[in-house]
Amino acid sequence: MIKETARGMAVHMLTRVETQGAYANLLLQKNIIRLTDSRDRQFVTLLVNGTLKHRLTLDYALRLHLSKPMSSLPHEVRAILRIGAFQLLYVDKVPAAVAVNESVELAKPYPKFTGLVNGVLRKVMDKAWDFPWPDVKRETVRNLSVRYSHPEWMIQRWLKRWGVEETEALCRANNEPAHTWIRTNTLKISREELMDRLTQEGVTVEPGARIPESMRIQHFGAIDRLESFQEGLFTVQDESSQLVAHIVAPKPGQRVLDACSAPGGKTTHLAQMMQDEGEIQAFDIHEQKLELINQSAQRLGITIIHPQLGDARDLPGVKLGSQQRVLVDAPCSGLGVLRRRADLRWQKEEKDLKGLPLLQLAILERAASCVEVGGDIIYSTCTIEPEENFELVKTFRSTHPEFEPVNLVEDLPFELEDPRDIQQASKGMLQLLPHRHNMDGFFLAKFRRTSQ
């Protein structure tokens, strides 16, 4: 039995991700609360996310010193080798000898493999980054795939769209640590007051430059243990996700529909912008996820959200032309948030993209029928793939002349600088890219109904 140290916990979680398809972020959220030291919690998070992000590169480095394939090793031993190699290659603060010795300790429940773990990791320690990469010209896809630890099918898609330089920049951005962003609950407190409060609680805070409610936080330990969190003064929400409510731009007293609402980050932001006046119908297909919306709304002091169980393709009970604002934050491939979801790149396959546009379009079609004349519909995803974004919106518009694009430049809470972005936004659409905008990859489109 592997000891439940920080490293041991990381091995258990990585094994579950590989063998059961478990979500790393949920495993971390559930398990690290057992660790009392905040430094241990941060270290486990670093090991799990870092090892998952760089898994392909780590395996490439390890295979150079293995006499048998990785697939022949027990899953736990694979995880031990990977977190050992991750510390050796990517974590300067851990002495190399400590990384090797601790990995050997972890392997002791598997006595047949302790010698292998020790020998392989010592060779990784000695060689460091001194090993041959696939040739960048003859094997461009494999070179980028191995160096930046992305599946080859993703690399191929991006190379066709952007070329080598931008693809490499995107991969590099995907491997950067994901910052923690929070949204001020302006129903209860101003951003300036919240910054003061968090500083008093020992949290390092930095106001966001693009979203007026946003700030980046560091050195916070367990967020749910902060008094300011428990009092509902803020919620955790990525910066690009906070942008959505500003594009929806709901007003107090309006009727608003959120077709795919769970876990409720955007829904509660809409309510916040409405000053908790009006009505939001918040749909989701999973009953347990609706409870997350209820819990969040209660903590934030929001009363106008009405969670509804139902498929967004049906939206049972919602009348035609009854809503002034409709948000479709559609289920998607999530390829814009790879730096935030470390395991996602290994859980997706290119064939998964084929069925998603059909689902997304069906949801958008039904949601559009609920918009009143003069009302707006907003479509958003956290992906960067055109089939789910530009091409889908083009298909929708070709059959819905009653909707006209809304110039996003006027709704954005910050100024766009790139001429490509300005041109897009003036036509009612905007694609955010991690390597260009230093935000999660995100897509937004907004249309206004001008006739029945």
Side-chain angles (χ1 to χ4, degrees), residues 18-171:
E18 186 168 28
T19 60
Q20 301 172 17
Y23 295 115
N25 59 333
L26 298 181
L27 287 177
L28 283 165
Q29 187 179 335
K30 181 179 179 181
N31 288 285
I32 63 174
I33 56 173
R34 299 203 303 271
L35 297 169
T36 55
D37 192 322
S38 62
R39 290 169 298 182
D40 285 340
R41 291 195 294 267
Q42 291 167 8
F43 188 49
V44 171
T45 303
L46 172 68
L47 289 179
V48 171
N49 286 335
T51 301
L52 283 170
K53 276 185 181 179
H54 299 286
R55 192 177 81 186
L56 199 62
T57 310
L58 296 172
D59 284 4
Y60 182 81
L62 288 164
R63 284 193 188 101
L64 297 174
H65 311 297
L66 278 167
S67 58
K68 57 178 72 178
M70 285 282 284
S71 58
S72 69
L73 303 175
H75 289 284
E76 290 83 359
V77 175
R78 295 182 215 174
I80 291 167
L81 284 169
R82 285 167 179 158
I83 69 166
F86 172 69
Q87 291 168 84
L88 292 168
L89 297 175
Y90 291 97
V91 186
D92 294 335
K93 292 182 180 179
V94 177
V98 172
V100 174
N101 292 338
E102 290 293 330
S103 298
V104 173
E105 282 295 313
L106 289 173
K108 284 187 175 177
Y110 305 90
K112 285 173 57 178
F113 298 98
T114 52
L116 179 146
V117 168
N118 184 49
V120 168
L121 290 181
R122 288 197 177 278
K123 288 177 182 176
V124 173
M125 179 175 67
D126 292 339
K127 287 284 187 182
W129 289 102
D130 183 22
F131 50 79
W133 297 104
D135 186 83
V136 67
K137 291 185 177 179
R138 287 187 291 106
E139 297 181 279
T140 305
V141 172
R142 186 160 180 258
N143 176 278
L144 292 173
S145 174
V146 168
R147 281 173 58 205
Y148 294 104
S149 192
H150 283 65
E152 289 190 8
W153 68 266
M154 289 186 193
I155 300 293
Q156 288 172 333
R157 289 176 64 86
W158 299 339
L159 283 172
K160 289 177 184 176
R161 203 178 315 156
W162 293 308
V164 174
E165 190 174 324
E166 274 216 75
T167 298
E168 186 171 3
L170 173 57
C171 291

Side-chain angles (χ1 to χ4, degrees), residues 328 360-370 377 395-396 399-400:
V328 175
Q360 292 157 344
L361 185 60
I363 293 172
L364 186 57
E365 293 270 3
R366 171 59 178 123
S369 73
C370 303
I377 185 165
T395 300
F396 171 77
T399 55
H400 289 276

Side-chain angles (χ1 to χ4, degrees), residues 11 67 81 86 112 115 122 129 141 197 220 234 239 273 284 350 367 377 403-404 426 438:
V11 169
S67 58
L81 284 169
F86 172 69
K112 285 173 57 178
R122 288 197 177 278
W129 289 102
V141 172
R197 177 69 183 275
F220 46 80
F234 71 88
E239 191 182 27
M273 295 189 72
D284 199 84
E350 189 167 17
I377 185 165
F403 283 93
E404 292 185 353
S426 67
N438 194 27

Side-chain angles (χ1 to χ4, degrees), residues 133-409:
W133 297 104
D135 186 83
V136 67
K137 291 185 177 179
R138 287 187 291 106
E139 297 181 279
T140 305
V141 172
R142 186 160 180 258
N143 176 278
L144 292 173
S145 174
V146 168
R147 281 173 58 205
Y148 294 104
S149 192
H150 283 65
E152 289 190 8
W153 68 266
M154 289 186 193
I155 300 293
Q156 288 172 333
R157 289 176 64 86
W158 299 339
L159 283 172
K160 289 177 184 176
R161 203 178 315 156
W162 293 308
V164 174
E165 190 174 324
E166 274 216 75
T167 298
E168 186 171 3
L170 173 57
C171 291
R172 194 183 298 117
N174 286 340
N175 286 347
E176 291 173 356
H179 298 302
T180 300
W181 289 89
I182 64 173
R183 188 190 82 231
T184 310
N185 181 9
T186 51
L187 295 173
K188 293 187 174 186
I189 196 170
S190 70
R191 181 167 73 168
E192 291 70 26
E193 291 169 329
L194 178 59
M195 288 178 67
D196 290 340
R197 177 69 183 275
L198 286 168
T199 301
Q200 291 169 16
E201 293 182 81
V203 179
T204 302
V205 297
E206 178 186 343
R210 288 181 278 210
I211 314 295
E213 306 94 326
S214 73
M215 64 180 79
R216 194 177 77 178
I217 62 171
Q218 299 178 75
H219 312 121
F220 46 80
I223 285 181
D224 58 1
R225 295 180 186 174
L226 294 171
E227 287 187 9
S228 51
F229 178 84
Q230 294 170 358
E231 293 172 23
L233 303 185
F234 71 88
T235 192
V236 178
Q237 188 178 20
D238 303 333
E239 191 182 27
S240 56
S241 180
Q242 292 184 43
L243 186 58
V244 175
H246 287 276
I247 299 300
V248 178
K251 294 178 172 58
Q254 286 190 326
R255 299 179 305 280
V256 176
L257 169 65
D258 189 346
C260 312
S261 59
K266 299 177 186 70
T267 320
T268 55
H269 197 184
L270 294 172
Q272 186 176 309
M273 295 189 72
M274 295 165 69
Q275 298 299 312
D276 201 34
E277 297 174 12
E279 179 186 64
I280 300 176
Q281 294 191 68
F283 276 82
D284 199 84
I285 199 169
H286 301 291
E287 193 164 2
Q288 66 271 25
K289 289 188 177 180
L290 293 176
E291 184 54 33
L292 296 176
I293 301 173
N294 275 323
Q295 291 171 5
S296 185
Q298 186 174 3
R299 184 179 61 82
L300 297 170
I302 291 168
T303 62
I304 65 169
I305 297 173
H306 304 286
Q308 308 280 335
L309 182 65
D311 193 316
R313 291 169 291 187
D314 300 325
L315 299 174
V318 184
K319 295 180 181 178
L320 300 178
S322 63
Q323 304 297 308
Q324 293 163 297
R325 297 285 188 275
V326 173
L327 170 62
V328 175
D329 185 48
C332 69
S333 63
L335 298 192
V337 293
L338 293 184
R339 67 175 169 183
R340 199 165 297 283
R341 288 284 311 282
D343 50 354
L344 196 61
R345 65 187 75 185
W346 313 121
Q347 294 174 340
K348 296 291 180 182
E349 297 180 24
E350 189 167 17
K351 65 182 181 182
D352 296 334
L353 301 182
K354 294 179 180 177
L356 281 168
L358 294 174
L359 172 63
Q360 292 157 344
L361 185 60
I363 293 172
L364 186 57
E365 293 270 3
R366 171 59 178 123
S369 73
C370 303
V371 182
E372 69 173 30
V373 175
D376 297 336
I377 185 165
I378 293 81
Y379 175 81
S380 67
T381 70
C382 58
T383 187
I384 58 176
E385 299 311 306
E387 302 100 307
E388 303 176 76
N389 295 337
F390 291 112
E391 291 176 16
L392 184 129
V393 165
K394 183 179 178 181
T395 300
F396 171 77
R397 288 218 57 217
S398 68
T399 55
H400 289 276
E402 71 274 20
F403 283 93
E404 292 185 353
V406 176
N407 188 344
L408 297 184
V409 174

